[in-house]
Amino acid sequence: MTETQSEPTQDAAEATAPLNVANEPEVKQENGDCKSSAGEEKEKAPQEFEPPEGGWGWVVMLASMWCNGSVFGIQNAFGILFVALLNKFGSDKDEDLQFRTAWVGSLSMGMIFFCSPIVSVFTDLFGCRITAVGGAAVACVGLLASSFVESLGPLYFTYGIVFACGCSFAYQPSLVILGHYFKRRLGLVNGIVTAGSSVFTITLPFLLSSLLKHAGLANTLRVLSILMFVLMLAGFTYKPLLPKPVSSGKSGSRCPSLNRVFNVNIWKSLGYRIWAFGIPAALYGYFVPYVHLMKHVEERFGQEANKEVLLMCIGITSGVGRLIFGRVADYVPGVKKVYLQVSSFLVIGLMSMMIPLCRVFGGLIAVCLLMGMFDGCFICIMAPIAFELVGSQNVSQAIGFLLGMMSIPMTVGPPIAGFLRDRLGSYDVAFYLAGIPPIIGGAVLCLIPWVEARRKRKEAKTEADTTEKMLEIKSGTQDDADGEVKAKEPESVI
């Protein structure tokens, strides 16, 4: 009794040793573990993992940076491929051409996020390295297959599903593995990693335009598949450091526990639930500019307009924003980092509404510069917020389920914008509507710091009450022990 209620002294531990021996078989029978003494249980207790904050982690950071760049650089530059697809597979008689072609890019982006819950399970079961390497190989096959397609329909499968699913399996481990090597610098490292997509977003539009002009669509896709092959090699650097969680299943069972397959603990956090529903609500218009902005520029400013500059502006300021806000996030305590995402959604929503109002090309450049800056803010602090809400052991599935829920708005947004363009003859209404969801979603996220503060107050109060009760029990036990000693003293003297 005294062992569980208070920490025994050395003499008390020696006095209660026979009691431990007597109880040992019973404990062994109960949990199937032959180590049952108090000292051995303390040795078994997992210690809090401390990342090395560098070392091999810098190599992992560069590999993750290449992953983010190659995956989302291609996705963000789809506006260039979108115009090429319209020219190759479209016809003037097709009234739904914009709608049907937009599905290729939006399906690809949506599938990256839709597969994320499955990817999180694979990451937990097989590790970051195997999952990332396998995903990059599938993405490489998908791009190669897309290069041999001669109609728009098969691209839905080869580019929209196969390539995107491979990217999803390669992308998510690149976020999770960073938590194995960094904690104090995690915000800065995430900023550097996610800046990889900015570097590719800056350079790929010009590369794609040149390749499409001189080599054609098929050879351009084959060149892009080389990026996926390099990504496959980069995945081999993901050496895991976090200790594996102790399985609660029966000893010797090869089947993983249900909690490892579907981690329900993350959904017990009200802050995470709000985050997981607020982010998708904000993203219904997020991907619309990346798909339709190039075509909108052609229609408003002519085919000779240097539309690639707009994607370059988004890429440059997005990279700068990821570095700046990633570093800022390291100084923002706890879940208050969410306020950075709130501000980013507010600006992104307003800038989307400003696109149709820009009558000069310079105004559109200014809009893209601001949009890119706060796009970088939104992206670079996703992983740090997830770590704050659910902890390092649960972050894989927390990010996975969030990205999975993001797939719906990311998929349906661009086709709806294309449908409005086909029916109304311009993109104005589509861009106006695209700016509303980010503002609403950002307002919802404002609840998270308040909810988390209330939860911590409740936990602190519960802990204080528990400590007070333990002190009372300890005091009562000490009084009983003193009384027994005083009662035995006269007998020992006689």
Side-chain angles (χ1 to χ4, degrees):
M1 179 176 66
T2 57
E3 286 180 6
T4 59
Q5 293 172 348
S6 63
E7 183 176 349
T9 62
Q10 183 176 358
D11 294 336
E14 292 176 356
T16 55
L19 180 61
N20 289 338
V21 174
N23 289 339
E24 185 176 352
E26 185 178 351
V27 176
K28 179 179 178 181
Q29 183 180 4
E30 205 172 280
N31 53 27
D33 193 350
C34 58
K35 296 180 179 179
S36 58
S37 66
E40 289 169 331
E41 285 179 357
K42 289 181 180 178
E43 292 177 3
K44 285 169 58 181
Q47 295 180 350
E48 185 176 355
F49 173 73
E50 287 295 332
E53 300 291 343
W56 184 252
W58 299 117
V59 178
V60 173
M61 183 195 73
L62 292 176
S64 299
M65 186 177 178
W66 178 272
C67 175
N68 276 259
S70 58
V71 170
F72 287 104
I74 294 174
Q75 296 294 333
N76 293 342
F78 180 76
I80 305 296
L81 295 177
F82 179 74
V83 176
L85 292 174
L86 290 175
N87 295 333
K88 182 173 182 179
F89 301 122
S91 65
D92 296 334
K93 298 179 181 179
D94 192 347
E95 296 181 355
D96 296 324
L97 179 61
Q98 313 275 346
F99 173 75
R100 294 192 305 108
T101 309
W103 269 109
V104 177
S106 61
L107 183 62
S108 177
M109 179 65 87
M111 285 301 296
I112 289 178
F113 297 112
F114 180 77
C115 294
S116 294
I118 302 173
V119 177
S120 65
V121 174
F122 272 73
T123 303
D124 285 345
L125 295 180
F126 302 108
C128 295
R129 179 183 293 170
I130 295 177
T131 305
V133 171
V138 172
C140 183
V141 172
L143 277 179
L144 280 176
S146 299
S147 67
F148 295 100
V149 167
E150 294 296 333
S151 63
L152 193 61
L155 276 177
Y156 295 143
F157 176 72
T158 58
Y159 189 94
I161 296 179
V162 177
F163 166 62
C165 287
C167 287
S168 182
F169 275 78
Y171 165 65
Q172 191 175 326
S174 73
L175 296 180
V176 176
I177 195 64
L178 297 177
H180 291 229
Y181 290 89
F182 301 95
K183 182 178 181 181
R184 181 170 50 85
R185 298 172 176 168
L186 186 59
L188 175 62
V189 170
N190 268 281
I192 296 173
V193 166
T194 54
S197 64
S198 300
V199 174
F200 278 71
T201 302
I202 295 168
T203 56
L204 270 183
F206 297 98
L207 175 63
L208 290 178
S209 296
S210 178
L211 286 172
L212 288 169
K213 182 178 180 181
H214 297 96
L217 180 62
N219 289 325
T220 299
L221 293 174
R222 289 163 193 159
V223 171
L224 292 179
S225 67
I226 298 175
L227 302 182
M228 295 296 104
F229 178 77
V230 177
L231 175 58
M232 183 174 64
L233 299 180
F236 285 104
T237 65
Y238 296 169
K239 180 182 178 182
L241 295 183
L242 271 174
K244 292 184 178 180
V246 179
S247 177
S248 59
K250 293 183 179 179
S251 177
S253 175
R254 294 184 179 180
C255 299
S257 63
L258 180 62
N259 194 48
R260 288 190 66 192
V261 176
F262 183 81
N263 191 347
V264 296
N265 292 329
I266 60 176
W267 297 103
K268 294 178 181 178
S269 168
L270 178 59
Y272 175 77
R273 294 201 299 270
I274 295 174
W275 193 56
F277 286 97
I279 294 287
L283 294 180
Y284 276 92
Y286 172 82
F287 197 47
V288 171
Y290 288 100
V291 174
H292 295 287
L293 183 59
M294 299 298 98
K295 190 63 179 176
H296 170 72
V297 171
E298 279 192 1
E299 293 178 354
R300 175 155 295 186
F301 300 102
Q303 299 215 353
E304 299 301 321
N306 195 4
K307 53 185 178 294
E308 293 86 0
V309 171
L310 298 178
L311 285 179
M312 184 185 73
C313 291
I314 293 177
I316 291 174
T317 53
S318 180
V320 173
R322 294 170 200 217
L323 295 175
I324 293 175
F325 288 106
R327 187 58 177 165
V328 169
D330 288 335
Y331 295 98
V332 178
V335 294
K336 289 185 178 179
K337 296 179 178 68
V338 169
Y339 288 130
L340 294 175
Q341 280 191 330
V342 172
S343 63
S344 68
F345 281 135
L346 178 63
V347 174
I348 288 173
L350 291 175
M351 291 303 103
S352 294
M353 293 179 174
M354 289 291 292
I355 290 175
L357 300 178
C358 295
R359 301 299 175 182
V360 295
F361 194 74
L364 207 53
I365 289 177
V367 166
C368 290
L369 288 173
L370 273 174
M371 183 178 289
M373 175 72 73
F374 285 89
D375 168 75
C377 172
F378 155 64
I379 291 175
C380 75
I381 58 175
M382 280 185 61
I385 291 175
F387 276 94
E388 294 289 347
L389 290 174
V390 300
S392 59
Q393 290 289 355
N394 299 321
V395 74
S396 174
Q397 293 202 26
I399 294 176
F401 283 115
L402 173 66
L403 297 180
M405 297 180 70
M406 287 167 55
S407 66
I408 298 175
M410 298 288 275
T411 302
V412 303
I416 291 175
F419 176 80
L420 292 173
R421 159 63 183 80
D422 290 332
R423 293 294 178 267
L424 302 177
S426 74
Y427 281 109
D428 291 359
V429 175
F431 284 119
Y432 288 139
L433 294 178
I436 296 176
I439 297 174
I440 297 176
V444 172
L445 295 182
C446 290
L447 297 172
I448 295 177
W450 176 75
V451 167
E452 287 295 301
R454 188 183 66 170
R455 177 184 64 81
K456 289 182 178 179
R457 285 195 301 267
K458 283 174 128 182
E459 289 180 352
K461 184 179 178 182
T462 303
E463 185 177 352
D465 293 342
T466 303
T467 303
E468 185 177 352
K469 289 180 181 179
M470 290 179 64
L471 290 174
E472 290 177 357
I473 295 172
K474 181 177 180 180
S475 177
T477 305
Q478 188 65 34
D479 292 342
D480 292 343
D482 292 343
E484 291 177 2
V485 171
K486 288 180 180 180
K488 291 180 179 180
E489 279 180 356
E491 295 179 7
S492 62
V493 171
I494 293 174

